Amino acid sequence: RGKGLDGKEGRCRGMHPHGSLQWRCGGGKAKVPRCRSSTKGREEEGGDALRLRLRLPRMGTGTWAWGNQLVWGYEEGMDEELREVFELAVERTATSGAGAIFDTGDSYGTGRLNGRSEVLLGDFRKKRRRRRGQGEGAGGDSDGVIIGTKLATYPWRLTRGSLVRACEASLKRLQLDRMELVQLHWPAAKYNPLQERALWEGLGDIHDKGLAQAVGVSNYGPKQLVKIHGYLRERGVPLATCQVQLSLLSYGSLQRELLAVCEDLGIHVIAYSPLSLGMLTGKYSKGEGNTNTMPRGLRSLLFGRILPRVQPLTNELEAVATDLRASPSQVAIAWCMSKGTIPIPGAKNLEQARLNFGALDLELSDQHCQALEAAAKRCTASMTTNVFQTK
């Protein structure tokens, strides 16, 4: 028996102590977890023995909305509450002995606000370090913060040097000399294979120049991931992370194979969009009159098409949430953690942030995981796949 978020006992079994993650790159037998509650780092035997000792938390915070007016309705008047979200994330993660990871990107922010997410994170971190009497500019998680940015694979970034310069621009916005984690936002393999190789070279250069403590990728499928891992390994550069769209509505053969490959190569999987843009929060419904609670803006078009066709899953999320005295969003996030991934749900306000981090106190049994996955299979729609995702 386990406990729900109110501290009372419920039907949750198989609880284990939680450990933090460590970046590593080594061997190991491929294994995709069914449902597990512990994602401790492990010492590798053999392999390439490339290892970074920066501790990663069980979950992080996505900041795509911080500066995005088009999809998320950002306004500059939100900045003070976003700073409070930043502080809450750091404090909530500190008890685990790991740094709080914030996912961002140099393309986050619309129009004149391009790069706004990085700017805000830089300002928030600087203020926190000043209050704590710490120096400025240096990366590393000594202040309890891990920033992982993603460099956009724009068509004009054709050379390795252009990616290095993009990283330097991100460091300037973040007010850092060195970042914890730099990742390629998406591969160029689908439309410009020659650019893809240059990006690999640039990512290795970023690591070798000391601009980032670790490097990773995003939207790389298993086959492309093995290729870049091999290239970087020859250079002596560990590939720390791979981001992939993963949720109960984005869990197909690609995600399963990627989890197995990453387990084999010692790469940590970061699950973006764990709540399917909010579709799994339980806040929205497609109905008539007052029962229609769809989000505003561009998301409403997507939700209107998908939400009515995923009722088996949303109903099961509600049932499990009731069983564990939690919320549907906490159940959805906890499921991602049960797969050994680091989910990075977004938060635009303190209420959302508190709700997200409540998932850390939640344990799912094998029965819960199986019921959720069976419900997802009964749905007649799934989440739209990122157009840049490779195989």
Side-chain angles (χ1 to χ4, degrees):
R1 297 176 66 84
K3 293 183 178 181
L5 299 184
D6 57 2
K8 298 179 181 178
E9 288 192 350
R11 296 183 306 168
C12 180
R13 299 182 301 199
M15 297 176 70
H16 302 282
H18 293 295
S20 300
L21 300 172
Q22 291 182 322
W23 285 331
R24 81 277 188 200
C25 187
K29 186 177 180 181
K31 182 180 180 182
V32 179
R34 180 62 182 169
C35 184
R36 64 188 187 189
S37 57
S38 178
T39 52
K40 284 189 177 182
R42 55 185 172 85
E43 294 292 338
E44 298 294 344
E45 297 180 1
D48 52 21
L50 294 171
R51 208 153 180 270
L52 292 169
R53 298 185 178 276
L54 185 64
R55 296 178 68 83
L56 290 174
R58 295 179 58 223
M59 66 172 285
T61 300
T63 66
W64 176 25
W66 298 14
N68 188 296
Q69 296 174 318
L70 185 63
V71 178
W72 299 105
Y74 166 81
E75 297 177 1
E76 293 179 62
M78 298 176 175
D79 289 355
E80 178 55 31
E81 187 165 15
L82 291 178
R83 186 192 64 78
E84 293 175 353
V85 168
F86 175 87
E87 293 290 341
L88 183 146
V90 176
E91 296 303 324
R92 190 66 174 82
T93 310
T95 56
S96 70
I101 188 167
F102 295 89
D103 175 74
T104 185
D106 66 349
S107 62
Y108 284 1
T110 51
R112 66 180 180 82
L113 297 173
N114 189 53
R116 181 68 174 176
S117 174
E118 291 182 333
V119 170
L120 289 173
L121 284 170
D123 287 344
F124 298 161
R125 187 176 196 175
K126 183 177 182 179
K127 290 175 181 176
R128 178 178 176 81
R129 292 182 71 92
R130 280 180 174 175
R131 288 199 310 273
R132 294 164 60 90
Q134 295 176 314
E136 299 175 10
D141 62 344
S142 61
D143 60 352
V145 177
I146 298 171
I147 292 179
T149 201
K150 300 183 296 298
L151 302 179
T153 308
Y154 292 131
W156 53 86
R157 289 180 178 167
L158 293 171
T159 65
R160 61 198 302 173
S162 64
L163 196 71
V164 172
R165 289 189 292 274
C167 180
E168 291 170 341
S170 285
L171 286 169
K172 184 175 181 180
R173 285 188 290 272
L174 288 161
Q175 303 179 63
L176 292 172
D177 300 320
R178 187 189 192 201
M179 214 176 313
E180 290 78 29
L181 176 64
V182 172
Q183 302 156 108
L184 291 177
H185 203 154
W186 63 84
K190 278 188 174 182
Y191 55 87
N192 192 343
L194 294 178
Q195 182 187 16
E196 178 76 358
R197 178 69 181 203
L199 295 172
W200 296 3
E201 294 169 348
L203 193 65
D205 292 346
I206 286 169
H207 179 273
D208 291 346
K209 290 176 180 290
L211 300 179
Q213 188 169 347
V215 295
V217 294
S218 179
N219 295 304
Y220 273 66
K223 294 181 178 62
Q224 198 69 5
L225 182 66
V226 168
K227 292 178 183 178
I228 188 172
H229 173 271
Y231 166 78
L232 291 173
R233 180 170 178 168
E234 287 182 359
R235 288 187 59 167
V237 177
L239 186 61
T241 59
C242 178
Q243 286 199 26
V244 65
Q245 182 178 339
L246 188 145
S247 72
L248 279 161
L249 285 178
S250 300
Y251 188 58
S253 58
L254 182 142
Q255 283 83 5
R256 291 182 177 89
E257 185 180 352
L258 187 68
L259 286 174
V261 169
C262 286
E263 177 73 11
D264 188 46
L265 297 178
I267 299 170
H268 289 301
V269 178
I270 298 177
Y272 74 80
S273 200
L275 298 175
S276 297
L277 300 181
M279 207 173 300
L280 302 181
T281 61
K283 292 169 53 178
Y284 305 106
S285 64
K286 177 69 171 176
E288 300 295 333
N290 293 333
T291 64
N292 191 334
T293 57
M294 302 296 278
R296 297 177 181 178
L298 292 177
R299 285 190 299 156
S300 64
L301 300 175
L302 183 67
F303 279 39
R305 180 171 61 84
I306 296 178
L307 197 55
R309 300 169 61 189
V310 297
Q311 289 302 304
L313 176 58
T314 54
N315 290 341
E316 187 63 34
L317 280 168
E318 290 281 0
V320 174
T322 299
D323 189 31
L324 297 178
R325 290 173 288 277
S327 71
S329 61
Q330 289 166 341
V331 172
I333 294 169
W335 177 85
C336 290
M337 287 189 283
S338 80
K339 296 300 175 186
T341 71
I342 305 170
I344 47 170
K348 295 191 298 180
N349 54 56
L350 277 171
E351 180 183 1
Q352 292 177 354
R354 291 191 183 105
L355 200 62
N356 289 346
F357 279 98
L360 291 173
D361 303 318
L362 191 63
E363 297 284 350
L364 300 181
S365 68
D366 286 343
Q367 290 84 352
H368 287 137
C369 291
Q370 291 164 10
L372 289 166
E373 291 167 30
K377 289 180 179 178
R378 293 196 300 272
C379 296
T380 59
S382 59
M383 197 62 185
T384 303
T385 302
N386 191 309
V387 67
F388 294 114
Q389 176 68 52
T390 60
K391 295 181 179 180

